[in-house]
Structures are given as structure tokens and as C-alpha cells.
Amino acid sequence: MAISPTSIRILLVEDDELFRLGLVTRLSQEPGLDVAGEAEDGETAIAYVNQQLFDVVILDVGLPGIGGIEACHQIKKIHPQLPVLILTSHSQPALINRLIEAQAQGYCVKGVAAETLVLAIRSVAAGAFWWDAIASQEIQTAFQHSSSTGAVLPLADADGENPLTKRELEILSLVARGKSNQEIADELYIAPGTVRVHVHTILRKLEVRDRTQAALLAIEKRLVSF
């Protein structure tokens, strides 16, 4: 199949050869997806992202060697804007926390429907997050616990005050859920241009480069609630 110049270039990192072959075969059937590289371990994956341009890294959490989570850490350290989607056999709260700390854009449980995996890939490539119901509930529980106990304080400026306005926090919450500017505008009944201005201000105040980093910071620092 001919590869479109606008195809999403994927680095697939999976040590199970048969499973990897099955994924390559299935993803190659999808228009706009290009498995441009394959690796069997984290070290090779890190080398590849330093040699080639990819739009998404699909990373098995149970890799030999340094492992999937550490590989994600190192990839994001070198290429913070490169989306990483984790493949895992289970979704336990401890794993979800480690994936958030590693700055993964989300995960898919192995065995998920192919259509769901394709949607997840397209979503993270577009800058959104992909957390399933279990992860979303875990994140929501963490927010609720933080809110009730006051154990984690919101980000504060030099005067000890939250630098974000109520509207900015509202928009940041929607950004953290993976909403696009148009979706945020529709939900809040404001113009998309107004959303763009707010997002720009949020990035400046939080001192981050893009909405992905802002969303990760919102999750890690519990700046917003779901």
C-alpha cells in the first residue's frame, strides 16, 4: 500500500515477534498509518528515535532490558513532544501512576479491539490522551482525595496564590481530558479563538511548551479536578 506523505509514522516496540507481526499487519491496513520502525527492546527504541522522525511510539511495558517505563522516561526526556502510547497486559493503579510519571500519553490493554487501538494511536498523535475507564477513575479518585485532604497544594506563584484564573483552570481541566480547542469552545459556549488565547496564557503561566505538558502538569500537580 502506498504511504501518504501525511501518514502517522509509528515506532512499534514489542519483544513478542508474533504479536508485533500481527500488529504491523493490522496497522498497515489502516489508511494514514505507517509502521516506520520496529524494535524488540527499549535500548533499540531510544536509538531509533534519535535517528529517525516518528509521530507516535507504541511501547510494550514489559520489554527486556531497561523495560518499557524506563524507556518511556528516556524517550520523553530527549523528545518531550513525541507521544508515547503504552501497551500493557493489565491496568493496575500502581502502573497507571508510573505511566503518568513517565509522561506517557496513555495506554491500551493488549487484546483490545483493533479499532480501539487505531483510535488511540490517532488520538495521541493529535495531542490528546488515551486513558481507559480504569485509569480515568484512578485519576479522578486521586483528585478527589487531594481535594478532601488538602495533601497536595495547587501550583502557586511567588505570592502563594494560584496563577490561573477560574476560567483557565476550567479550560486546563478540559485540556487534560484530551479535548480539542473546538470541543472546549462548544462545551463552554465560547469562541475557539477565545480558547486559543486562554490556552496560550495557561502555557505561559505554567512555563510549559505545549498543551500536552500542561495536561501532564495538571495531572501530576492536581491543579484541576475531573
Side-chain angles (χ1 to χ4, degrees):
M1 182 177 65
I3 301 301
S4 166
T6 59
S7 290
I8 296 172
R9 290 174 53 83
I10 300 168
L11 172 60
L12 178 59
V13 190
E14 167 61 59
D15 64 315
D16 185 324
E17 184 176 0
L18 289 178
F19 184 72
R20 187 176 70 251
L21 178 61
L23 281 180
V24 171
T25 301
R26 179 62 181 86
L27 294 178
S28 297
Q29 298 172 357
E30 289 293 326
L33 297 187
D34 172 24
V35 181
E38 300 177 42
E40 297 182 355
D41 55 63
E43 290 87 348
T44 304
I46 294 167
Y48 276 4
V49 299
N50 288 327
Q51 297 168 2
Q52 302 181 41
L53 293 176
F54 297 99
D55 299 304
V56 175
V57 177
I58 302 177
L59 195 63
D60 179 21
V61 75
L63 294 172
I66 64 174
I69 293 178
E70 179 57 28
C72 182
H73 265 296
Q74 294 192 28
I75 289 172
K76 296 297 286 190
K77 183 177 181 180
I78 302 168
H79 304 281
Q81 298 185 33
L82 177 60
V84 177
L85 181 68
I86 298 293
L87 290 177
T88 176
S89 299
H90 56 81
S91 55
Q92 298 175 348
L95 173 63
I96 294 167
N97 291 335
R98 294 184 67 192
L99 294 182
I100 292 174
E101 292 172 357
Q103 300 185 36
Q105 267 64 36
Y107 71 86
C108 279
V109 176
K110 289 184 177 180
V112 72
E115 293 78 9
T116 301
L117 177 60
V118 169
L119 180 58
I121 293 170
R122 296 190 190 281
S123 296
V124 298
F129 289 84
W130 190 268
W131 303 108
D132 64 10
I134 295 175
S136 297
Q137 181 60 48
E138 180 66 19
I139 294 169
Q140 182 177 5
T141 300
F143 277 128
Q144 291 173 342
H145 176 73
S146 172
S147 177
S148 63
T149 64
V152 181
L153 297 177
L155 188 68
D157 60 17
D159 296 324
E161 297 179 354
N162 193 317
L164 301 183
T165 65
K166 182 178 179 181
R167 174 62 90 183
E168 289 164 355
L169 286 170
E170 190 175 19
I171 290 175
L172 179 58
S173 177
L174 295 173
V175 168
R177 297 179 192 177
K179 300 284 188 179
S180 67
N181 284 354
Q182 184 62 59
E183 289 171 331
I184 294 173
D186 292 342
E187 185 161 336
L188 298 181
Y189 301 102
I190 57 179
T194 302
V195 177
R196 286 195 295 272
V197 171
H198 279 303
V199 170
H200 177 76
T201 302
I202 290 168
L203 299 184
R204 177 178 55 80
K205 287 184 176 181
L206 297 184
E207 299 181 347
V208 294
R209 286 187 294 271
D210 54 42
R211 61 195 296 129
T212 299
Q213 289 190 344
L216 286 169
L217 186 63
I219 294 172
E220 293 170 357
K221 300 297 184 181
R222 293 160 171 83
L223 301 181
V224 296
S225 58
F226 288 112

